[in-house]
Amino acid sequence: MLRRALTPRWLGWFAVALVVSIAFVWLGQWQWGRYEDKAARADRIDSHYTATPVPVTEVLSDSPAPVTDEWTRVTATGEYLADEQLLVRNRPLDGAYGYEVLVPLRLTGGQVLLVDRGWVDNSPKGADVAPEVPPAPEGEVTATGWVRLGEKSLGRRMQPGQLASINLQEAAAEVDGQLLGGYLSLQSEDPTVPRPAPLEVPDTGTGPHMAYAVQWWLAIPAFWIFLVMALRREVQDGSERSPRPKKVRIWDEEDG
């Protein structure tokens, strides 16, 4: 087997197996990383989602919030800046697309917190027409909800009063005041008024990524075992094959 394994053809197969093994290791690590990210997110949601709310200023500051603070349940008291309402386009809810409604809340301490009050469907006249939105309550209001991190910019130029994503820098350009480094996904308001539809409860599933990682890693020894068995089979077939008798020509015998 060793002599056969050192032939150029089999050395080529072993080189291919080595490259494939490295690729499978990388793919397994990639899937495992995705599993760890989703598991960490699920842990944050499980520990924060129903916890007793804390004042928002104990969690958020002018700097971007760290990922460990996401989904912290907080309360914020202030007055809505209803004239500076923003609509985020192409946001899904229950299989439909519409807008998420963002309204800045000026806190009693002067800071401004962006509040996602929920979702509204597109206007019957088309997505280019602003939909009707239940107005935010006037006067002092206490909002309770969950801290969310700002989203990446999609690099799209939108009409005034609309955003392509909940990017805090782009939102700050439309708002009078310095926004805190995260926004609030609204759970409830006091006083209670009609509001846009609440957003979906976050998914805490980790998906199939752990299983995919294990499958990629188990494929490595399986591939090598298959290769070695193929080599062994080829060697056995060669040893069992009887050599052909040498054909002697009649005139060779006569010449002899």
Side-chain angles (χ1 to χ4, degrees), residues 12-93:
W13 277 113
F14 290 138
V16 170
L18 180 60
V19 172
V20 169
S21 298
I22 294 172
F24 284 5
V25 168
W26 182 85
L27 288 168
Q29 290 176 334
W30 171 60
Q31 288 290 349
W32 186 262
R34 296 192 66 186
Y35 161 74
E36 288 185 322
D37 290 343
K38 288 198 171 185
R41 179 179 182 273
D43 289 342
R44 287 196 302 273
I45 294 172
D46 289 339
S47 61
H48 292 328
Y49 200 75
T50 58
T52 302
V54 298
V56 68
T57 51
E58 292 184 9
V59 181
L60 295 180
S61 65
D62 293 341
S63 301
V67 68
T68 52
D69 287 339
E70 189 174 28
W71 295 107
T72 301
R73 193 161 174 249
V74 296
T75 60
T77 299
E79 292 188 8
Y80 279 119
L81 305 178
D83 293 340
E84 299 179 17
Q85 172 180 284
L86 300 171
L87 298 176
V88 189
R89 294 188 62 170
N90 296 322
R91 307 295 282 201
L93 181 69

Side-chain angles (χ1 to χ4, degrees), residues 166-185:
I166 307 179
N167 181 270
L168 296 181
Q169 290 184 343
E170 293 175 350
E174 305 279 342
V175 172
D176 180 19
Q178 177 67 39
L179 291 179
L180 292 177
Y183 70 97
L184 183 130
S185 179

Side-chain angles (χ1 to χ4, degrees), residues 29-230:
Q29 290 176 334
W30 171 60
Q31 288 290 349
W32 186 262
R34 296 192 66 186
Y35 161 74
E36 288 185 322
D37 290 343
K38 288 198 171 185
R41 179 179 182 273
D43 289 342
R44 287 196 302 273
I45 294 172
D46 289 339
S47 61
H48 292 328
Y49 200 75
T50 58
T52 302
V54 298
V56 68
T57 51
E58 292 184 9
V59 181
L60 295 180
S61 65
D62 293 341
S63 301
V67 68
T68 52
D69 287 339
E70 189 174 28
W71 295 107
T72 301
R73 193 161 174 249
V74 296
T75 60
T77 299
E79 292 188 8
Y80 279 119
L81 305 178
D83 293 340
E84 299 179 17
Q85 172 180 284
L86 300 171
L87 298 176
V88 189
R89 294 188 62 170
N90 296 322
R91 307 295 282 201
L93 181 69
D94 295 332
Y97 281 82
Y99 296 86
E100 286 182 34
V101 181
L102 306 179
V103 185
L105 180 71
R106 189 178 299 280
L107 307 182
T108 53
Q111 306 98 321
V112 179
L113 172 67
L114 200 61
V115 178
D116 188 337
R117 298 191 67 237
W119 182 91
V120 293
D121 200 357
N122 288 330
S123 169
K125 299 179 181 179
D128 293 333
V129 179
E132 293 186 6
V133 178
E138 298 179 356
E140 186 173 89
V141 59
T142 297
T144 301
W146 300 276
V147 168
R148 299 298 313 278
L149 308 184
E151 300 174 355
K152 293 181 179 179
S153 171
L154 298 181
R156 299 174 185 169
R157 182 173 297 177
M158 307 295 291
Q159 63 190 67
Q162 294 192 7
L163 300 172
S165 66
I166 307 179
N167 181 270
L168 296 181
Q169 290 184 343
E170 293 175 350
E174 305 279 342
V175 172
D176 180 19
Q178 177 67 39
L179 291 179
L180 292 177
Y183 70 97
L184 183 130
S185 179
L186 185 65
Q187 180 186 22
S188 62
E189 294 170 323
D190 183 20
T192 302
V193 297
R195 54 166 290 194
L199 302 180
E200 294 177 338
V201 175
D203 180 17
T204 56
T206 56
H209 302 295
M210 178 190 287
Y212 288 163
V214 173
Q215 288 174 5
W216 283 118
W217 290 333
L218 288 179
I220 298 172
F223 189 83
W224 281 96
I225 290 171
F226 171 79
L227 200 61
V228 171
M229 291 185 66

